[in-house]
Amino acid sequence: MSYDQSPLKTLFAGAEDVLLSMLADAPAEAVAQAREYKILRDVLDGTAAAVAIMDERLRFRYVNDALARMSGVARDAFLGRTMGEVLPDIQRSEDTLRMILGDGTPRALSVTGTTRAPSPFRQRQWSAVYHRLEYGDRVLGLCGIAVEVSGLRQYMDDLERAHQRLALLDTAATRVGTSLRVEQTCAELADFVVPSLADRASVRIVDTEEADDLPPPAPGVLRLRVMASAGGPDIVARIGLTARAGYYFDVPRDSPVRSCLNTGRPWVGNLASDDVLLKMLRTPLDVEVVREVGIHSIVVVPLPTREHPVGVLYLCRAGDSAPFTDEDVVVAQELAARAAVSIDNARRYTLEHTMALELQRALMSEPGTPHPDVETASRYLPAGQRALVGGDWFDSMALPCGRTLQVMGDVMGHGFTAAVAMSQYRSLMRTLAASGAPVERILQEADHRLASIGIDRVATCLLALVDPLAGTCTFAGAGHPPPVLLHPDAPAELVHVPTGPPLGTDLGGYEAATLPLEPGSVLLMYTDGLIEDRRRDIDSSLRRLTHLRLDIDGPLESIVDALVARLVHGTTEDDVTLLAARLRSP
């Protein structure tokens, strides 16, 4: 910024003009007496701006009271000395000052540093303007006028740090908590804070399950499990600061970590002494290990939820890194709070998903046993992004006269309500199948009974009655996708099954169709999760099934695995259930 643009030009124009005119009109030998003039004393000593006069060697010849107060140095201590001698911690700009002496062009400078005077500011800054002093052709020296702008500078620095902090938190929102897996979320948190906030980091979660290979913790001891770490080689696992994932770490009642979890407040150990580290790490050996890898500061931040912290985040700084500031701790708390929500959601999802799958298996139970001359294989693949059970079911039931009934059904919707309805559908189907009625009559009776008892979820269903003695299969459908026959030496074919309304509508009108079932052919029944795809219509998806080219001479389980690998890619939007059947060779 040039002098003409500086607010100092207007603010101190009067004092500057008086000083310059006085010195310009006086002989050189009178400069030393100028300090005694009343105009100099009244104008310059009375101003809040710092004013200094330096000779050609940049040695102070005059400073006013304001400069003495700002610097914490007596006025007389300046005289005859340079800036570097009097204020060594001030950033010096001697090259620029010499340029002003050389060309006479005034210049505005920004001066930073620290002085002996106490200050509320972390870093002091002044805005200064320097002019060359002349008498005729003779250069007398420089006159400098400065005002402190530390408050404005600190405000701008705080504003910039706030912007950086918000940017960091915004970035964390896209990089931490991208999945519903606890391990991945913890790893994302550890990787994010290194090196943006720490040199090393570790995420430890309160362990709620007892490990089979470890003795239970002692009474009053809380067990944490290291879920993820980042930043450099591992420290001895027993310390756990950057231990490998899966390590268990026991925390007694008097540990700072326990206090951190109990109070919800961070623990800060900046430039911690060995005694402080010993309270954290428990043994002198652990302290030695930490010192060997250069760690000098540790912060432990709880991972809070509405009920209680789910764990803690360890942050470590080592080597030449500065200790943690109060702002660092605040940022770490905000990151931990956001990550804790994701971790808690992931834990709840994992628990609910596990419970849901167990419930699904319990409700579905094991399918019935077909006759020995019919081989079956099945797969159930729950939708990958839901912690909910679904309404898919399948069954195989041995009936009189060597016949086997294959059942595939899908209750509308998802969740526990659909799963409970599925259990009712399955039980009713088993009861009706035991009567030996034709497949179309089974669907007719099921439709009527389900409507009469008021189940509010309809279901699609496909029945296939396999008769090995006759070499036939009789089908009846209730709004379900058609089955597929895989032939040993011919293309796969979709089986045309007369379409009836879904079960539970009480509309009836089901029909049966009988086809030959050759030995070696594989009958594939499935739910719509196998063929639903947003990228293509349903007819195109069904045609994909007829283009399958598989070796169906091997074990039926291997054939089903090959079908899943060929048709199911990644997570699906709906549950996928398959049931395959094949006549055994005589």
Side-chain angles (χ1 to χ4, degrees), residues 502-524:
L503 299 178
T505 61
D506 203 17
L507 295 176
Y510 303 101
E511 299 179 19
T514 301
L515 296 176
L517 183 61
E518 300 174 357
S521 295
V522 174
L523 171 64
L524 178 65

Side-chain angles (χ1 to χ4, degrees), residues 16-93:
E16 180 187 330
D17 291 344
V18 170
L19 175 63
L20 294 181
S21 63
M22 180 183 64
L23 293 176
D25 295 336
E29 57 267 24
V31 173
Q33 301 176 6
R35 295 195 306 271
E36 303 299 325
Y37 289 178
K38 187 177 186 301
I39 186 66
L40 189 65
R41 184 174 60 251
D42 293 346
V43 175
L44 300 185
D45 288 353
T47 183
V51 181
I53 297 176
M54 293 177 279
D55 60 21
E56 290 181 280
R57 294 183 300 167
L58 302 180
R59 296 183 181 275
F60 289 104
R61 292 300 183 183
Y62 166 81
V63 297
N64 69 345
D65 288 338
L67 179 54
R69 289 193 302 271
M70 288 182 186
S71 63
V73 178
R75 293 175 60 173
D76 292 343
F78 280 89
L79 303 182
R81 303 170 69 188
T82 65
M83 174 81 76
E85 293 171 340
V86 182
L87 300 171
D89 295 325
I90 294 294
Q91 177 188 357
R92 296 182 294 278
S93 53

